[in-house]
Amino acid sequence: MQHHEVDTDRLTASGPDGLTAGEVLAGYLHSHAGDFLRGLRLYGESGADTAAADSAALTLRGAARRIGGGLHTFRPLLDPGWADQLRTELGWLSGTLAQEHACTARLHRLVGALARLSGAAPVPVAVPASALGSVPGARAGADPGGPPGTLTVGASRAGALLERQLTLARTRAHSAALQALGSSRFHAVADAVAVLASEVPLAPLASAPAVEVLAGPGEATERQLLDAVAALPLARAAHPYNAEALVHGLATSSEGETQDAPWHQVRQLLRLHRYAQEVWCPGGAPDPVLLGAGQALDRHRDAAEAAAAAANAARTPRIAPTTAYALGVLHADQRHEVEAARFAFQQVWQQAAVAR
């Protein structure tokens, strides 16, 4: 097993030509290990500044995902035991840190959608990531026949219910993130990334020229992506609001989640493919097709999870019929957004196929 250091300036200047696979891969991992450590330092310095803490957590998560993606795709070039363990731990950390942000974003999305659906002006919701209080404006609705621009009773009560549920979820996610960042498990991950910033345990195959070795793992990831996309119902997604898919998505939560799962898988594979391309072109502009497709699938994930949150709220015992109705409309609206995101992905992907 080799522990390799690389001249990143040389890599940026010359690209992969003339370098070994280990030099190219190590340069990529060194760079994002540095990003991880910088995000960790900024998080520690953020104190009560929630905006700074959010930014630092975003940096941490992005670096963790890219390192984990590199360890996954290029595992044949690395010590497999080390790569598997670190990738698992980075996945745990990234997932833990993502939950608080996801709850906050979901609350913003659902409250805004309720305001739009009820004909009210968008309700400003200021929710700092570490805030544990209520959401301003979430209970701003009035009875039917109230002043113009106010929410209906059903939408107002639905918003209040979602606020309570998602604020509780965000509070728990915040506590879990704090516990994770203070745990011995996290400190072990941070120590491993600190070592990664200067040396990488490479397998003998990594000593081969980059142009001969790096393409194989990257192409394998691309094939997995293409196979997963081929399995999607893209012909059905060619309509922006597809009634057949929508009916299945609205039928039950389990059917909607089953329908969504292959799209979520494509999103994960698309991100791995994009990260593999970054290994070849450090600092280069992202592929616009992959970027656009990824953004569509991010919207798909957000809408699907928001729909699930609305459905979960609607199952709350003893809620008023008007509240249940508003939540049902909200759920249907977010399933429409799911279909619109699938349509956007299909358009980007088909245009790329025609161009090829």
Side-chain angles (χ1 to χ4, degrees), residues 198-260:
S198 59
E199 59 181 42
V200 179
L202 297 171
L205 181 61
S207 61
V211 293
E212 297 178 6
V213 175
L214 283 183
E219 289 172 355
T221 300
E222 183 178 18
R223 283 194 300 273
Q224 288 180 323
L225 170 62
L226 294 175
D227 290 344
V229 172
L232 294 177
L234 288 186
R236 191 172 69 186
H239 306 284
Y241 293 103
N242 182 269
E244 179 188 352
L246 187 62
V247 166
H248 288 299
L250 293 174
T252 66
S253 297
S254 60
E255 284 188 27
E257 291 167 3
T258 300
Q259 187 188 152
D260 295 336

Side-chain angles (χ1 to χ4, degrees), residues 49-339:
D49 186 344
T50 55
D54 287 348
S55 178
L58 186 64
T59 298
L60 273 173
R61 286 166 44 212
R65 288 197 306 267
R66 282 172 166 80
I67 295 170
L71 298 178
H72 172 81
T73 300
F74 298 99
R75 185 176 181 271
L77 306 180
L78 300 162
D79 172 15
W82 167 84
D84 292 345
Q85 181 178 4
L86 182 55
R87 180 168 60 88
T88 298
E89 294 303 284
L90 288 170
W92 159 74
L93 177 62
S94 179
T96 301
L97 295 180
Q99 290 306 308
E100 182 178 2
H101 172 78
C103 291
T104 302
R106 200 168 302 140
L107 181 57
H108 274 278
R109 181 186 186 95
L110 290 171
V111 170
L114 278 171
R116 170 173 51 79
L117 291 167
S118 65
V123 181
V125 183
V127 191
S130 62
L132 306 183
S134 62
V135 181
R139 295 190 179 90
D143 293 343
T150 58
L151 300 176
T152 64
V153 168
S156 177
R157 290 176 176 172
L161 177 59
L162 288 166
E163 176 205 341
R164 289 194 298 272
Q165 292 185 348
L166 290 174
T167 297
L168 177 60
R170 188 183 67 241
T171 301
R172 289 172 174 167
H174 182 68
S175 297
L178 291 178
Q179 290 177 357
L181 292 172
S183 67
S184 58
R185 183 178 182 182
F186 169 74
H187 288 296
V189 176
D191 289 344
V193 175
V195 173
L196 182 62
S198 59
E199 59 181 42
V200 179
L202 297 171
L205 181 61
S207 61
V211 293
E212 297 178 6
V213 175
L214 283 183
E219 289 172 355
T221 300
E222 183 178 18
R223 283 194 300 273
Q224 288 180 323
L225 170 62
L226 294 175
D227 290 344
V229 172
L232 294 177
L234 288 186
R236 191 172 69 186
H239 306 284
Y241 293 103
N242 182 269
E244 179 188 352
L246 187 62
V247 166
H248 288 299
L250 293 174
T252 66
S253 297
S254 60
E255 284 188 27
E257 291 167 3
T258 300
Q259 187 188 152
D260 295 336
W263 295 84
H264 295 332
Q265 176 67 13
V266 168
R267 176 179 171 272
Q268 296 292 335
L269 291 171
L270 185 68
R271 191 163 65 184
L272 280 175
H273 179 49
R274 184 160 54 87
Y275 292 165
Q277 287 194 336
E278 290 178 357
V279 174
W280 277 98
C281 304
D287 183 326
V289 171
L290 296 183
L291 188 61
Q295 289 170 344
L297 292 177
D298 285 346
R299 294 195 300 272
H300 177 275
R301 185 271 317 271
D302 293 343
E305 292 183 349
N312 182 63
R315 289 191 288 270
T316 302
R318 296 182 297 280
I319 59 175
T322 54
T323 306
Y325 174 78
L327 290 168
V329 172
L330 180 60
H331 176 251
D333 173 73
Q334 293 303 301
R335 292 306 307 181
H336 273 299
E337 293 296 324
V338 166
E339 293 306 312

